[in-house]
Amino acid sequence: MKSTVKSLDLSGDWQIALDPTDCGIHENRSQKDFDLSGHLPGSLPELKIGDAPSVDSPWVGLIGRIQDCEWKKPKYAAYRVESDFKMPFFLQPPAVYAGAVWYRRDVEIPKVWNGQCIRLVLERPHWETRVWVDDIFVSTRDSLSVPHEHDLSGTLTPGTHRITVRVDNRMIVGVGINAHSVSDHTQGNWNGITGRMELVASDPVRIETARVFPDIATRSVRVEVRIGCMEAVQGGGGLAWSVEGPGIAACAGEVSASWNDEGGNCGFEIRLGDSAKLWDEFSPNLYSLKLKLGDEEHSLRFGLRDFRQQGTQFTINGRNVFLRGTLECCAFPLTGYPPADKASWRKIFEACRDHGLNHVRFHSWCPPEAAFDVADEMGFYLQAECAAWVNNGETLGDGAPVDSWLYEEGARIVSLYGNHPSFVMMAYGNEPGGERHPDYLKTWVSYWKEQDPRRLHTSGAGWPELPENDFQNMPQPRIQPWGAGLNSRINGQPPETVHDYREFVLERSVPVVSHEIGQWCVYPDFEEIKKYTGVMKARNFEIFQDFLTEAGMADQAHDFLLASGKLQVLAYKEEIEASLRTPGFGGFQLLGLNDFPGQGTALVGVLDAFWEPKPYLTAKEFRCFCSPVVPLARLSRRVFTPDEELAAEIEIAHYGPEDLEAARIQWDLVDEQGRLMHPSLQGTVVCDLRCGDLNPVTELRVPLREVPAPARMTLRVRIEDTPCENSWDLWLFPPDENPPEDRRIIRRLDEEAGHRLEQGETLWLQADPQSVATDAALGFSPIFWNTAWTRGQPPHTLGILCDPDHPALALFPTEMHSNWQWWYLVSKAATLELPKGIRPLVQVVPDWFEPKNLGLMFEVTVGKGRLLVTSIDFEAGGIVGQQMTRSLLAYLDNEPLVPEESEMTVDQIRNLFRKE
């Protein structure tokens, strides 16, 4: 009797046996008693099976890696010897286990399955699976990216049988200890099986695979079908097909197919008609193809799309596209493994879309099919990778098993996910290592370009730059590379919005996607701890909270988060706009839109690890500078005087779906309340905007004599009748002048100054920043990635925190956080490390690993006197420094606001500085 495809759900209770000594195969473990049980699909950490985390846990090499990362030896060590082992570097599961685990259950095979092809499908095991039916070994599978299918046809007959699955989560193949497919830094090195678990029955002759190759020029698709044959027979028959989708009438037909004992192949073309709709990010039109061979049915979805490289840009269906991307690093705190359901992936892609993104790169892993399905439906461009990050002492191209395994894994990925229109880019994995990896990857890229031209291929995310690559994932260009520290553009050069990467692009012949840009950190949000209700626990956040409490600043945690978050947004805005300002640029990939909880805890996201917003930014605000259509302004500086003109070149980066004819671009200059600063400071320009291009609009030359100084002013540019609007904060200060001498200003706290303070005088110690005794390197930008993983790469700080309503700042326009005017003060300053209880007037948000009480400006009583201390080079700050000087001198003329507890001795203050 023949039947259509049927399945038997295997989710439920399974018997479980651990095999820590790896003797189960030798001892025929499948025949022995199992002492544990649990529900599958799921993981051992979910079942709390395994060892409590400890320094002896057999995690995939990460304990040693942690030792390598410590650039200092603060209080982490104490946590590592406590019984609860609070690990500071990444999220902690309740139990860890590395090795073989045996899972077993009985199944009842129905009589109607007699003579059928029966396959065991395990959607996402971690990692290698070996299967026995009763006591007969069947097969081994080792993919990290696609379901494991075991053919049980020869062993399953109607009646009761026992299925045993051995899962081994050790390093089966050398894909790299940091690959997000296996690393404890992200999903965790779990053992188990997740997603679909089922037995699938089909006719002996069945449709094994079907590949669809679209041709948008002819509105047609080429279909290639692989027919599988269980029995050693020859035959033939009609293969029926039908297509449904937008813009086409009923479309169906039948072709002849044949097969022998090795199966068969069948190829044919389907013309959909001129009215068939194309697929892209704005119109993700999908078509359903149904195939029928006898009683066997097979269905899939596809899209008509053509994703190409044209010069240094990508095109989608002939139109230039700019990739605005982020990384997905396989961090899922509630489960510890990636979801296999569409609802979970829809949440992630909706968060990306809400923030103006159209692209996601899966860093050294490949997601389950549900992710591709949702990306198809929402119109996202995906870069999938072959689950590898061969680096950190590992090598590629030396003949190790990983070399052949990557070809096999690539074939599995392309075979299963290749029809998805969202799957537009593919790489071996991340940042390869080894002397021979360029030669190996040249061949690898060439092979896949020939095998599957439906997408673009590159050697590896990050490097190497090879002529075979369809595009280059490159760690440049960006405004803060690894290792640049205080010499980067954002830290070492005055703020402007002119810089772009056109010279870099002109030296290339294929698109460049800047690799893992941003990496700007914020202070931890300790309110987030209560979200970790699942498998992974935020022990890292608990430690950082302890550190802050010990430092006496626990009450400032939320303010640190807000102030550092606002600075993070400034950095991301400039990072993204610099890319959009670059003619012919391919796009960028953030690391990332959400936090990365591993590798030292990298709080680089404007979203948390759950893809949920943080309190200092809305998605709407982010879309102002990251969306398909973005107004841009090229400003050579951000600080002006009233006798100058504001000069700006206005452009529109337009990567929307179509040209905008006679677009009305409005600009104005407004104050901090959003009010127009003068009737003359506004205008409208009408012009056509070409899609897929950087469009020049106008050049502004705006006199500023009508604006009272000092002031913060905002240049706004918007496109009328659209949501497209962007803005840039600028500052107006009085012109340069020689400040009058003031006897209250001292450069050193010498004996005479100490005596004056004892007599009750008010003094201002303008300390030379070079004299400050500190090892907390100050920069304008936030911390890059984190100081632990980068071995202390500067800066070690997260911007400034102040009270903008404090009278000391009454004449200095500021918010509670860093903005670009502070660059002129911070770039030549040093952090003062203050005792507990002294709250600076201008505080520096510290590193969460070492939350010191840091400041640039504080006020205390000394004896009967009053002392203001600063560690800023006001002269180097130009007109910005002069304005801060005016504000502070005016403040010193008033009654002091020094809290009673803010008292220090002369010796305590001298200890803040280096000994002469």
Side-chain angles (χ1 to χ4, degrees):
M1 176 180 177
K2 294 184 177 181
S3 68
T4 57
V5 174
K6 295 180 179 180
S7 65
L8 179 64
D9 184 10
L10 297 182
S11 63
D13 291 332
W14 286 64
Q15 295 176 298
I16 302 173
L18 304 184
D19 188 5
T21 59
D22 203 16
C23 59
I25 296 176
H26 176 71
E27 296 178 352
N28 296 319
R29 190 69 163 110
S30 64
Q31 303 177 28
K32 299 182 182 298
D33 292 336
F34 283 28
D35 54 350
L36 300 170
S37 65
H39 186 275
L40 293 178
S43 69
L44 289 193
E46 284 181 305
L47 298 172
K48 297 181 173 58
I49 295 176
D51 300 319
S54 72
V55 292
D56 298 320
S57 296
W59 294 2
V60 186
L62 292 180
I63 299 302
R65 181 68 174 156
I66 286 168
Q67 302 292 342
D68 294 341
C69 292
E70 290 181 345
W71 65 283
K72 293 185 177 179
K73 295 281 186 181
K75 306 168 188 177
Y76 316 147
Y79 285 88
R80 284 208 291 272
V81 297
E82 289 181 359
S83 59
D84 62 353
F85 185 66
K86 293 181 179 179
M87 177 64 69
F89 282 92
F90 43 85
L91 304 179
Q92 179 181 319
V96 294
Y97 180 89
V101 180
W102 297 70
Y103 302 87
R104 185 172 71 187
R105 66 163 290 172
D106 292 339
V107 297
E108 184 72 23
I109 304 302
K111 292 181 179 180
V112 294
W113 282 17
N114 188 37
Q116 297 283 287
C117 173
I118 303 175
R119 290 166 291 131
L120 171 65
V121 179
L122 307 173
E123 183 170 7
R124 188 62 54 127
H126 199 71
W127 176 1
E128 179 194 77
T129 60
R130 302 188 186 192
V131 172
W132 286 256
V133 173
D134 300 325
D135 297 326
I136 301 172
F137 174 71
V138 178
S139 54
T140 301
R141 300 289 182 268
D142 64 1
S143 176
L144 285 164
S145 305
V146 305
H148 291 199
E149 290 195 6
H150 297 266
D151 188 348
L152 310 186
S153 304
T155 55
L156 284 182
T157 56
T160 301
H161 294 273
R162 173 168 290 176
I163 294 179
T164 304
V165 182
R166 177 186 181 271
V167 181
D168 193 340
N169 66 329
R170 288 171 294 187
M171 189 65 75
I172 305 302
V173 179
V175 297
I177 62 170
N178 289 321
H180 296 337
S181 55
V182 298
S183 171
D184 278 305
H185 283 287
T186 52
Q187 59 179 308
N189 182 34
W190 54 278
N191 188 302
I193 305 168
T194 65
R196 291 184 297 115
M197 301 179 63
E198 59 186 356
L199 289 173
V200 178
S202 58
D203 286 349
V205 178
R206 64 186 180 89
I207 299 170
E208 198 168 81
T209 62
R211 298 201 302 168
V212 177
F213 295 82
D215 185 340
I216 67 169
T218 60
R219 293 297 202 272
S220 66
V221 292
R222 169 84 182 160
V223 182
E224 297 180 355
V225 178
R226 173 65 185 170
I227 298 172
C229 185
M230 186 179 77
E231 299 174 348
V233 296
Q234 292 186 347
L239 175 66
W241 60 266
S242 64
V243 178
E244 295 179 352
I248 65 172
C251 189
E254 184 174 294
V255 296
S256 296
S258 61
W259 54 87
N260 56 29
D261 56 352
E262 295 181 354
N265 298 300
C266 177
F268 57 95
E269 185 176 299
I270 302 175
R271 290 190 173 271
L272 301 176
D274 294 340
S275 59
K277 306 296 184 181
L278 303 184
W279 182 96
D280 67 9
E281 64 186 283
F282 305 106
S283 301
N285 297 298
L286 293 172
Y287 292 88
S288 175
L289 170 64
K290 293 183 179 179
L291 302 170
K292 187 174 183 180
L293 182 65
D295 292 330
E296 288 289 309
E297 292 186 352
H298 184 95
S299 62
L300 60 88
R301 293 193 306 181
F302 66 90
L304 281 174
R305 69 105 174 105
D306 185 19
F307 190 83
R308 290 177 179 266
Q309 164 257 327
Q310 185 170 327
T312 62
Q313 291 191 282
F314 298 105
T315 63
I316 181 76
N317 306 329
R319 187 186 70 248
N320 286 347
V321 61
F322 188 98
L323 295 183
R324 305 178 303 279
T326 187
L327 270 59
E328 211 307 310
C329 293
C330 205
F332 299 97
L334 294 182
T335 60
Y337 54 77
D341 64 290
K342 291 175 66 172
S344 298
W345 285 105
R346 190 167 295 279
K347 174 183 177 180
I348 292 172
F349 285 118
E350 284 179 348
C352 293
R353 182 183 61 189
D354 290 346
H355 288 76
L357 303 183
N358 62 358
H359 169 51
V360 176
R361 173 199 160 208
F362 292 91
H363 181 306
S364 59
W365 76 292
C366 180
E369 185 140 28
F372 290 96
D373 284 338
V374 174
D376 291 346
E377 295 164 5
M378 295 182 62
F380 268 83
Y381 308 119
L382 304 186
Q383 176 175 326
E385 298 177 2
C386 292
W389 182 359
V390 183
N391 207 330
N392 297 303
E394 301 126 343
T395 60
L396 194 64
D398 288 334
V402 69
D403 289 353
S404 59
W405 184 89
L406 285 169
Y407 279 91
E408 297 162 5
E409 189 77 343
R412 292 186 282 252
I413 289 170
V414 169
S415 175
L416 186 64
Y417 308 129
N419 294 322
H420 289 278
S422 58
F423 184 10
V424 298
M425 303 159 77
M426 179 172 163
Y428 112 89
N430 189 62
E431 298 173 359
E435 292 183 1
R436 296 183 179 89
H437 77 262
D439 293 334
Y440 170 86
L441 288 171
K442 287 179 182 179
T443 305
W444 195 88
V445 171
S446 297
Y447 174 83
W448 284 112
K449 287 170 67 172
E450 181 179 351
Q451 288 292 311
D452 198 331
R454 292 176 292 180
R455 58 196 45 83
L456 301 181
H457 301 273
T458 197
S459 53
W463 57 75
E465 186 176 5
L466 302 175
E468 288 79 7
N469 289 348
D470 287 326
F471 66 98
Q472 309 286 2
N473 262 142
M474 301 188 66
Q476 298 281 13
R478 60 202 303 177
I479 63 175
Q480 174 97 356
W482 275 76
L486 302 181
N487 297 317
S488 64
R489 182 165 71 84
I490 192 172
N491 284 309
Q493 300 177 31
E496 40 83 7
T497 66
V498 174
H499 188 87
D500 62 34
Y501 311 122
R502 68 183 67 202
E503 293 182 2
F504 188 92
V505 170
L506 288 172
E507 294 174 353
R508 270 80 194 167
S509 58
V510 297
V512 171
V513 182
S514 51
H515 167 72
E516 300 182 0
I517 69 167
Q519 306 188 39
W520 305 116
C521 285
V522 296
Y523 208 78
D525 182 0
F526 298 130
E527 290 297 311
E528 188 181 318
I529 294 175
K530 59 190 178 187
K531 290 187 177 183
Y532 290 84
T533 58
V535 170
M536 308 298 266
K537 302 303 180 183
R539 303 303 185 206
N540 47 355
F541 276 38
E542 293 172 6
I543 294 172
F544 303 148
Q545 191 173 36
D546 289 348
F547 288 175
L548 191 63
T549 300
E550 293 171 13
M553 297 182 288
D555 60 312
Q556 291 191 284
H558 189 66
D559 287 341
F560 286 170
L561 169 65
L562 295 182
S564 61
K566 291 295 186 181
L567 175 58
Q568 178 199 52
V569 175
L570 289 183
Y572 273 121
K573 185 175 189 294
E574 173 54 25
E575 187 94 65
I576 290 172
E577 288 183 2
S579 295
L580 290 170
R581 288 193 298 261
T582 303
F585 201 44
F588 61 81
Q589 294 166 345
L590 301 174
L591 205 175
L593 187 66
N594 67 324
D595 284 340
F596 183 93
Q599 296 180 2
T601 306
L603 305 174
V604 298
V606 298
L607 303 179
D608 62 23
F610 301 87
W611 292 90
E612 293 172 352
K614 297 181 181 180
Y616 52 82
L617 180 72
T618 66
K620 181 180 179 181
E621 291 169 330
F622 196 89
R623 285 200 310 272
C624 289
F625 54 85
C626 183
S627 63
V629 184
V630 178
L632 300 169
R634 292 184 187 264
L635 296 142
S636 61
R637 54 200 170 101
R638 287 180 177 264
V639 173
F640 301 86
T641 59
D643 57 345
E644 294 179 320
E645 286 185 330
L646 186 158
E649 296 178 25
I650 305 302
E651 299 172 307
I652 306 290
H654 178 21
Y655 294 95
E658 57 188 8
D659 294 345
L660 295 175
E661 296 182 358
R664 294 177 60 83
I665 293 92
Q666 301 172 338
W667 67 270
D668 56 22
L669 207 59
V670 298
D671 63 15
E672 296 182 33
Q673 287 73 43
R675 299 170 302 199
L676 187 66
M677 302 191 82
H678 189 271
S680 66
L681 302 179
Q682 61 181 332
T684 300
V685 179
V686 179
C687 65
D688 296 336
L689 300 176
R690 300 182 306 277
C691 70
D693 206 351
L694 183 62
N695 292 262
V697 173
T698 189
E699 184 173 336
L700 300 181
R701 305 287 296 186
V702 182
L704 298 173
R705 55 181 175 271
E706 303 295 343
V707 182
R712 175 168 70 88
M713 48 192 182
T714 300
L715 173 64
R716 300 188 307 191
V717 179
R718 58 188 176 275
I719 305 175
E720 191 176 284
D721 299 326
T722 77
C724 305
E725 178 176 330
N726 203 358
S727 62
W728 300 266
D729 287 339
L730 311 170
W731 287 265
L732 195 70
F733 292 117
D736 192 12
E737 61 181 25
N738 293 321
E741 294 289 333
D742 193 303
R743 188 172 178 272
R744 294 172 294 184
I745 297 176
I746 59 174
R747 307 297 180 183
R748 297 175 55 203
L749 192 55
D750 53 19
E751 291 186 10
E752 178 187 354
H755 179 72
R756 292 171 65 185
L757 288 168
E758 292 295 334
Q759 298 301 310
E761 287 193 43
T762 293
L763 299 180
W764 175 6
L765 173 58
Q766 284 189 1
D768 180 356
Q770 299 297 321
S771 69
V772 175
T774 181
D775 59 359
L778 175 67
F780 176 78
S781 79
I783 290 168
F784 179 85
W785 194 242
N786 60 65
T787 54
W789 197 255
T790 62
R791 296 179 177 271
Q793 175 177 315
H796 306 151
T797 55
L798 293 161
I800 64 105
L801 169 66
C802 67
D803 177 3
D805 295 325
H806 194 284
L809 304 174
L811 301 181
F812 189 81
T814 187
E815 301 109 313
M816 55 84 71
H817 56 83
S818 296
N819 209 331
W820 294 106
Q821 87 278 28
W822 280 97
W823 183 93
Y824 296 90
L825 305 178
V826 168
S827 63
K828 302 297 182 182
T831 55
L832 295 157
E833 298 183 15
L834 303 176
K836 288 184 181 180
I838 304 295
R839 287 290 165 87
L841 298 178
V842 177
Q843 193 167 4
V844 175
V845 181
D847 183 1
W848 56 86
F849 286 104
E850 295 186 279
K852 298 175 180 178
N853 185 18
L854 305 175
L856 299 180
M857 184 187 305
F858 70 96
E859 186 179 22
V860 291
T861 56
V862 180
K864 298 178 182 179
R866 170 190 177 195
L867 180 65
L868 174 69
V869 182
T870 59
S871 54
I872 299 169
D873 187 336
F874 292 95
E875 183 176 349
I879 59 174
V880 182
Q882 290 179 14
Q883 188 60 35
M884 179 63 83
T885 300
R886 294 187 191 98
S887 190
L888 293 178
L889 286 175
Y891 170 62
L892 293 179
D893 291 336
N894 301 324
E895 290 296 318
L897 294 178
V898 186
E900 292 183 3
E901 63 272 17
S902 296
E903 182 177 355
M904 293 179 68
T905 66
V906 169
D907 286 342
Q908 285 178 314
I909 294 170
R910 286 173 177 163
N911 286 337
L912 303 178
F913 303 96
R914 306 183 194 281
K915 303 299 182 183
E916 293 185 3

